[in-house]
Amino acid sequence: MTSFRLYLYVEERESSHKNNLIDALKILKSDFEVVQGLSLEWSIEYLTKAEAIWEKNQYTGQLIRHQDMNKLALGVKKLSGEKYHSIVLFLRDENWVPKQWGGINVGSFFQGMSFQLCRWYNTSQFLWEVLTEEVTHCLDEQIYRETGKKVEDYLMIQGDADDVIVHGEGIGWVRKKYRPYYEKIAPLLLQTFQKRNERWEKELKMKVSLLKTIKGLYERIIFLKREIEKRKHPIV
């Protein structure tokens, strides 16, 4: 089984609202699992308030500063290495500036992970809607970064996949109904996510090996200390 892993930073919510997020993620998981051999996993970290400042941006009007997103990504990277593919930051409505958008796929990678900004909604349906669109936006970027392949070439479509498919502007594509898209690019998704997963597994093996080495050194030190004590105080 190959996993697509999300790390979510979420400004603190009430318990009932947290349940809505879990429900939305479960729906998203079922969407991705139309691809045989693919699963969606996630971790959630709740923040009292995200340390994120909005600034003017020529493409989206407003965007969180890159240094703030990089700081959040660095926290994930230091803790989990190559484990996660993308980061999602959910902000409360009062801290969400571009009111015309429900979410933004940043289109850049921070510490090797793509980044989505999402406005918080108090229903699982709306949370799923913003999640599914912004996360789907990052797929062509993930694929190109890991494989060098363009989704547009693979599907032989004219125009940008974000417009044609994700926004549903192309004939036969429906916005927020992405299961057919996932199925069509299934080989690319599996190849893409597996590459990062292999790097993460390699990291884990190196860490385990290092821990075994440290454990061995510690046991050797204890043994030598005991031998020294024996020589200082020989048993008569």
Side-chain angles (χ1 to χ4, degrees), residues 48-134:
T48 302
K49 185 180 184 302
E51 294 182 9
I53 297 175
W54 293 90
E55 61 183 7
K56 290 184 179 179
N57 181 272
Q58 62 177 324
Y59 300 110
T60 61
Q62 295 284 335
L63 191 68
I64 297 293
R65 295 186 309 177
H66 276 216
Q67 59 261 43
D68 295 332
M69 289 186 280
N70 190 64
K71 184 177 180 180
L72 290 169
L74 186 60
V76 177
K77 181 75 171 183
K78 287 182 176 179
L79 182 66
S80 303
E82 294 281 321
K83 181 177 181 179
Y84 295 96
H85 299 88
S86 197
I87 296 173
V88 181
L89 172 61
F90 268 105
L91 297 172
R92 286 191 294 267
D93 187 66
E94 61 267 27
N95 296 327
W96 182 263
V97 172
K99 301 298 184 182
Q100 73 274 29
W101 310 115
I104 299 171
N105 175 58
V106 177
S108 299
F109 284 78
F110 298 87
Q111 303 298 322
M113 293 166 282
S114 58
F115 210 111
Q116 290 79 51
L117 304 172
C118 294
R119 182 178 182 176
W120 181 265
Y121 295 92
N122 288 336
T123 70
S124 57
Q125 177 64 28
F126 285 163
L127 287 171
W128 168 79
E129 287 187 16
V130 70
L131 263 176
T132 191
E133 183 162 326
E134 300 315 322

Side-chain angles (χ1 to χ4, degrees), residues 167-200:
H167 290 162
E169 295 175 8
I171 296 174
W173 299 103
V174 181
R175 192 172 192 174
K176 302 187 191 304
K177 295 185 182 296
Y178 300 130
R179 291 190 179 192
Y181 177 40
Y182 302 158
E183 290 176 316
K184 287 181 181 293
I185 62 171
L188 296 182
L189 291 175
L190 291 169
Q191 183 183 359
T192 296
F193 298 139
Q194 185 58 34
K195 278 180 173 288
R196 190 177 186 94
N197 290 342
E198 287 172 356
R199 294 199 298 273
W200 181 52

Side-chain angles (χ1 to χ4, degrees), residues 17-30:
H17 295 166
K18 291 179 181 179
N19 291 335
N20 288 337
L21 178 58
I22 297 299
D23 289 342
L25 285 164
K26 287 179 179 178
I27 299 171
L28 188 63
K29 178 181 174 70
S30 67

Side-chain angles (χ1 to χ4, degrees), residues 132 160 217:
T132 191
D160 189 281
L217 290 172

